[in-house]
Amino acid sequence: MNKKVQDILSKMTLEDKISLCNGADFWHSKAMAQYSIPAVTMSDGPHGVRCQKNGADMLGVNESEPATCFPTAVTSGATWDAALLKAEGQAIGEEGLSCSVDVVLGPGVNIKRNPLCGRNFEYFSEDPYIAGAMGAAWVQGAQSTGAGTSLKHFAANNQEYKRFNGNSQVDERTLRELYLPAFETVIKTAQPETVMCSYPRINNVHASDNHWLLTDVLRKDWGFAGLVVTDWGAMCDRVKAMHAGCDLSMPGGSTYMEDWVAAAVRDGTLPESDVDACAARVIALALKGESRPKGHAFDKDAHNALAQKIAENGAVLLKNEGGILPLDAGDIALIGEMARTMRYQGAGSSHINPTQLTTLCDALPGVPFAAGCDVKGAVTEESLREAAETARKAKIAVVCAGLPDIYESEGFDRETMSMPEGHVRLIETVAAANPNTVVVLLCGCAVEMPWLDKVKAVLYMGLPGQAGGAAAANLLTGKANPSGKLTETWPLCYDDVPSRDTFGKKTTHYKEGLYAGYHYYDTAGKAVRFPFGYGLSYTQFAYSDLKIEGRTVSATVTNTGSTAGAEVVQLYVAPPKNGPYRPAKELKGFAKVSLQPGESQTVHFELNDRSFAVWCDGWQVPAGSYEICIGASVADIRLHAALNVDGVSLAAPDWQKGSWYETLQGLPTDAEFAALCGSALQSDPEPKKGAFTMEHSTMELKDISGAMMLMFKGTESTIAKSFGGKKDYSDPTFKMMVMSGADAPLRAAVLSSCGMFPANLAEGMLALANGHPLQGIKKMVKK
Ligand code: BGC
């Protein structure tokens, strides 16, 4: 602890130390002038700065200051270009500081376990290696400006359903090898100033209270020296959290649970040194604010140009039959409301108020256009007829389609992997009218594509940010050459997803273990729509000269086409097939190289013990012959060679033999998962009257308790007031607000309300609901 921090701490009362660890309001920690402690200002993250001067909220509902809306992580991650991510981080750091923000809340490096997670667009990948590399570059860029960052959401937050009080049951090996390494990479290589703990329980212990996660793993194993802040409203039990090393509870404004801590210190159940450690980290972060270069203007045009460059480099060309792309802008018609009302970012806390916006229609002025559908994706016979007519008159019809806002958002998960029926009908109608149909796809995650054979080309833009239209136009017309590659597998249909039966439950069993994403499809030999790492270019690349010297691998890549382009060269390690179960291949290196026609470049990869290791009570390298695979995607390996690795001999555990983890037939059984975890399956008992707790939400209790139904209706109506009184669940913002307000446990609702919904009121209502009216009223009238 530095001397200044120590001096301040030594002067503070216990109550003030505890109070300091609770924020002041929505975006600030407490300033304590009597101790010369300034406030810390925080703002979302992660693909732009959502700095709110008025009307603060955690869901991106109220307006924020104009800021560059960079492509969301689904697109920036697909660049596979750490230098671009670093530049993005730097630009966001500058924009944050210009708004006097100390800590920008990003990046998000959670693993995309299932395509239906509503927040997948905010995350980089299903693979921890690429997610870690992209996240680390972002943090390095942002912190190089003097701004702080917050790596989120730590950890195992892979669905939105019951996000505040769900439970992720997952075995330690899967955590260590799949869900934690992206965080580990960012911590070890970029030292973010803060880490944001996630909402859900991990193996039944809330992230905020999880000593194993926040102290043993994060601080002791990985050497994290910064501050842990809760996700907004994620603080579960302040006493346990202090001991776990969860420093700052946000948002602030409520004193809820502060008295528990003081009592626990006084009765000796919580050492004061735990409170001191948390308070010291808050002071240290607050003091850093004094030297941040705040208040400078940023270059809006330069940042917009960077956003466009990232979108151009992250777009993935999924199909290009007969080389129909690139095209001549004079030959086309643009179809689809999304070309005009472009979907370029997702809803929720990451929502940015852009400095400017270029849609595809803006970027291709004068091109014939037909909306074909409305913003929600609905079509009419008339809109389809008009679309077909417009398509027929053009040489090439470009349809802009994907997922409208309501389909994916923070706060709830997608209900299906299908696109809206209207978009599918629109694509099919246009394709029937014009055989040269190209689809520009705008969505934050994989979708089913039953129409794929009917169209000639598909350009996947993800959610490409404010300059996405300009980027798409440049890619379609060949001013830019696509070079993005998918960082997630696109399965043929949802029925192929290995977590399909456990995703979206309050307790979600991570039964598939390490077999999420390509780990599963590649090992099981399951056909997919597009494999992990896949993406086409307007040129071609040849691979040659694989060399392995010690732990250094090199290979040469040559542009054999006639256009300049960039290739993402991927290195996978395939382990020997014995011992503890392992995916057939895992990504352990990548390099993006830009090449002129005919040009070659040799790329080098450095492997280390972790490239081969498994978690088995610590990292262990199983000895044996590994295959080093170099390819253009996980399914397109161009070069491979064997490498003998010294290490230990690890036997397969008995339970593994013949189990799903070896056969990959069907789905794992409960018994197999229990064996993998070494413990029984966890579950959440149905709430029972008399035993409702602050961990239940009004939504969970409304059908069994009149008092809770009243509260639910009240919440719904209060939210509806900001929507002209309409309870419109087809409006993503309304739905998200209801899910976040009414489906948050009472404890989180109190905390997230910044003092508007006091704890005694929640506790009183709870007592009423539990059948104790007198107790309830007493609590409610308590000052
Ligand atoms: C989100 C975080 C965000 C925070 C503050 C939460 O609901 O999960 O990602 O940083 O709100 O807006």
Side-chain angles (χ1 to χ4, degrees):
M1 200 186 298
N2 91 31
K3 170 103 178 53
K4 196 164 172 195
V5 173
Q6 205 156 21
D7 282 352
I8 294 175
L9 195 66
S10 65
K11 294 185 190 116
M12 292 177 80
T13 63
L14 174 65
E15 282 70 18
D16 282 348
K17 287 186 279 192
I18 297 168
S19 170
L20 182 69
C21 294
N22 252 352
D25 58 23
F26 219 90
W27 296 121
H28 301 93
S29 71
K30 280 185 190 119
M32 289 191 170
Q34 68 276 35
Y35 303 115
S36 306
I37 303 172
V40 179
T41 305
M42 288 156 267
S43 225
D44 282 306
H47 51 262
V49 178
R50 186 170 68 94
C51 176
Q52 292 181 315
K53 300 270 190 218
N54 304 301
D57 70 278
M58 69 193 226
L59 296 169
V61 178
N62 295 309
E63 197 78 328
S64 49
E65 296 302 298
T68 311
C69 178
F70 286 92
T72 62
V74 60
T75 305
S76 62
T79 63
W80 297 66
D81 189 332
L84 277 181
L85 266 291
K86 200 168 182 174
E88 179 187 320
Q90 190 174 340
I92 290 176
E94 280 171 18
E95 293 194 21
L97 290 170
S98 81
C99 250
S100 295
V101 169
D102 293 285
V103 176
V104 182
L105 305 175
V109 297
N110 296 87
I111 292 298
K112 303 187 203 211
R113 172 180 177 231
N114 182 295
L116 299 190
C117 172
R119 264 183 120 168
N120 274 353
F121 69 88
E122 275 188 69
Y123 302 140
F124 291 114
S125 180
E126 67 189 21
D127 176 90
Y129 188 89
I130 173 83
M134 297 291 102
W138 192 100
V139 170
Q140 279 165 345
Q143 294 198 166
S144 73
T145 65
T149 59
S150 197
L151 181 65
K152 65 190 190 182
H153 309 90
F154 189 56
N157 188 175
N158 309 99
Q159 66 179 39
E160 289 298 281
Y161 181 71
K162 300 279 175 207
R163 65 172 172 155
F164 297 98
N165 62 358
N167 179 26
S168 303
Q169 185 178 6
V170 48
D171 66 286
E172 182 171 1
R173 180 170 168 221
T174 300
L175 277 172
R176 294 280 192 171
E177 291 187 29
L178 183 56
Y179 292 99
L180 298 183
F183 290 96
E184 181 182 0
T185 301
V186 181
I187 300 291
K188 287 182 173 168
T189 56
Q191 279 288 344
E193 287 185 13
T194 79
V195 165
M196 184 190 290
C197 80
S198 62
Y199 288 121
R201 286 166 284 157
I202 298 146
N203 293 319
N204 254 333
V205 183
H206 270 280
S208 66
D209 305 353
N210 206 312
H211 189 274
W212 172 81
L213 187 73
L214 302 184
T215 293
D216 297 345
V217 175
L218 180 66
R219 293 203 160 95
K220 292 193 183 148
D221 286 2
W222 301 347
F224 177 63
L227 168 137
V228 173
V229 57
T230 61
D231 197 344
W232 268 227
M235 172 59 68
C236 181
D237 177 327
R238 211 14 176 149
V239 178
K240 289 184 183 153
M242 283 272 180
H243 178 64
C246 181
D247 307 312
L248 177 62
S249 177
M250 288 297 290
S254 143
T255 54
Y256 186 35
M257 297 189 269
E258 284 184 13
D259 52 345
W260 305 4
V261 181
V265 172
R266 291 202 179 99
D267 73 17
T269 39
L270 181 73
E272 189 163 350
S273 56
D274 284 350
V275 179
D276 287 353
C278 293
R281 289 188 284 253
V282 178
I283 300 168
L285 181 69
L287 295 183
K288 271 192 184 157
E290 291 168 342
S291 57
R292 298 192 205 275
K294 290 178 184 164
H296 299 292
F298 64 91
D299 185 339
K300 288 195 177 81
D301 291 337
H303 289 189
N304 183 66
L306 176 62
Q308 180 174 334
K309 189 170 174 194
I310 296 169
E312 283 171 4
N313 282 272
V316 184
L317 182 61
L318 295 175
K319 179 174 179 178
N320 193 17
E321 200 179 305
I324 187 170
L325 294 179
L327 44 74
D328 191 325
D331 294 341
I332 68 169
L334 270 180
I335 294 160
E337 183 56 44
M338 273 194 177
R340 179 168 61 183
T341 314
M342 208 175 71
R343 180 130 190 278
Y344 62 99
Q345 64 173 329
S349 59
S350 67
H351 194 270
I352 300 302
N353 176 17
T355 56
Q356 54 181 287
L357 178 63
T358 313
T359 66
L360 198 47
C361 280
D362 298 333
L364 295 171
V367 165
F369 168 75
C373 61
D374 67 12
V375 272
K376 292 189 173 168
V379 291
T380 60
E381 291 313 316
E382 176 55 23
S383 70
L384 290 175
R385 200 189 46 73
E386 196 198 328
E389 219 164 81
T390 309
R392 221 171 275 125
K393 288 189 204 139
K395 225 163 140 185
I396 297 172
V398 176
V399 187
C400 222
L403 293 178
D405 268 337
I406 188 63
Y407 280 74
E408 51 184 354
S409 165
E410 177 174 337
F412 53 90
D413 294 313
R414 282 162 70 193
E415 285 166 15
T416 152
M417 233 184 101
S418 315
M419 286 167 57
E421 199 196 322
H423 279 196
V424 174
R425 282 188 68 196
L426 178 63
I427 293 171
E428 291 181 342
T429 305
V430 171
N434 188 332
N436 291 321
T437 292
V438 171
V439 174
V440 173
L441 209 49
L442 293 161
C443 49
C445 194
V447 289
E448 289 170 355
M449 303 167 94
W451 43 266
L452 185 62
D453 290 345
K454 299 180 181 145
V455 305
K456 286 267 165 69
V458 182
L459 178 66
Y460 175 52
M461 298 299 300
L463 297 179
Q466 66 179 43
N474 277 356
L475 291 159
L476 289 170
T477 56
K479 291 199 186 97
N481 188 350
S483 63
K485 301 240 187 182
L486 296 177
T487 53
E488 69 204 272
T489 312
W490 283 41
L492 285 168
C493 62
Y494 189 64
D495 267 354
D496 291 344
V497 176
S499 55
R500 63 186 177 274
D501 71 330
T502 62
F503 178 82
K505 306 271 193 301
K506 185 165 179 185
T507 283
T508 176
H509 301 126
Y510 285 51
K511 278 186 176 180
E512 71 288 354
L514 296 169
Y515 288 131
Y518 76 88
H519 288 180
Y520 167 73
Y521 304 106
D522 185 50
T523 312
K526 189 128 193 128
V528 297
R529 184 66 79 195
F530 301 111
F532 176 85
Y534 169 86
L536 302 171
S537 162
Y538 296 150
T539 188
Q540 296 82 41
F541 300 96
Y543 288 61
S544 61
D545 298 327
L546 171 59
K547 290 200 184 81
I548 306 177
E549 281 162 32
R551 295 276 172 100
T552 304
V553 177
S554 62
T556 300
V557 53
T558 305
N559 182 346
T560 56
S562 51
T563 315
E567 173 69 329
V568 178
V569 183
Q570 299 155 46
L571 183 152
Y572 296 88
V573 172
K577 289 189 176 53
N578 54 18
Y581 87 95
R582 299 180 79 169
K585 293 187 206 90
E586 285 179 71
L587 183 77
K588 296 295 174 188
F590 66 89
K592 190 163 189 176
V593 278
S594 293
L595 297 169
Q596 291 301 316
E599 195 189 351
S600 295
Q601 195 177 314
T602 299
V603 290
H604 298 269
F605 306 94
E606 290 302 328
L607 300 176
N608 55 39
D609 279 356
R610 280 293 288 277
S611 316
F612 308 101
V614 295
W615 181 265
C616 199
D617 292 330
W619 291 108
Q620 313 250 26
V621 175
S625 174
Y626 288 73
E627 198 75 8
I628 305 300
C629 309
I630 304 285
S633 82
V634 72
D636 183 9
I637 298 302
R638 308 283 181 89
L639 308 166
H640 56 97
L643 172 67
N644 271 319
V645 174
D646 292 337
V648 296
S649 153
L650 288 180
D654 281 346
W655 61 263
Q656 183 188 300
K657 294 180 190 138
S659 73
W660 181 83
Y661 302 95
E662 286 185 355
T663 66
L664 292 179
Q665 295 300 307
L667 289 173
T669 63
D670 286 355
E672 286 171 330
F673 178 56
L676 173 72
C677 290
S679 61
L681 262 65
Q682 294 156 11
S683 64
D684 277 289
E686 286 300 317
K688 280 212 177 65
K689 198 173 170 128
F692 301 154
T693 73
M694 290 290 279
E695 282 309 301
H696 290 120
S697 71
T698 51
M699 199 174 251
E700 287 169 324
L701 304 182
K702 71 179 175 33
D703 296 328
I704 36 176
S705 152
M708 288 295 148
M709 178 56 99
L710 239 140
M711 265 181 81
F712 173 77
K713 292 263 179 228
T715 311
E716 210 186 20
S717 304
T718 312
I719 295 170
K721 273 192 197 139
S722 335
F723 295 81
K726 258 178 70 189
K727 294 176 187 168
D728 180 4
Y729 282 89
S730 74
D731 180 326
T733 312
F734 177 77
K735 185 169 172 184
M736 176 176 54
M737 284 179 78
V738 174
M739 297 313 287
S740 299
D743 209 19
L746 293 168
R747 175 256 312 158
V750 167
L751 291 170
S752 317
S753 75
C754 294
M756 307 278 283
F757 178 40
N760 66 308
L761 185 57
E763 286 167 350
M765 289 301 285
L766 191 67
L768 276 183
N770 275 324
H772 308 298
L774 276 180
Q775 214 186 80
I777 291 165
K778 241 166 96 189
K779 278 193 186 285
M780 283 193 262
V781 295
K782 191 177 104 189
K783 281 267 182 272

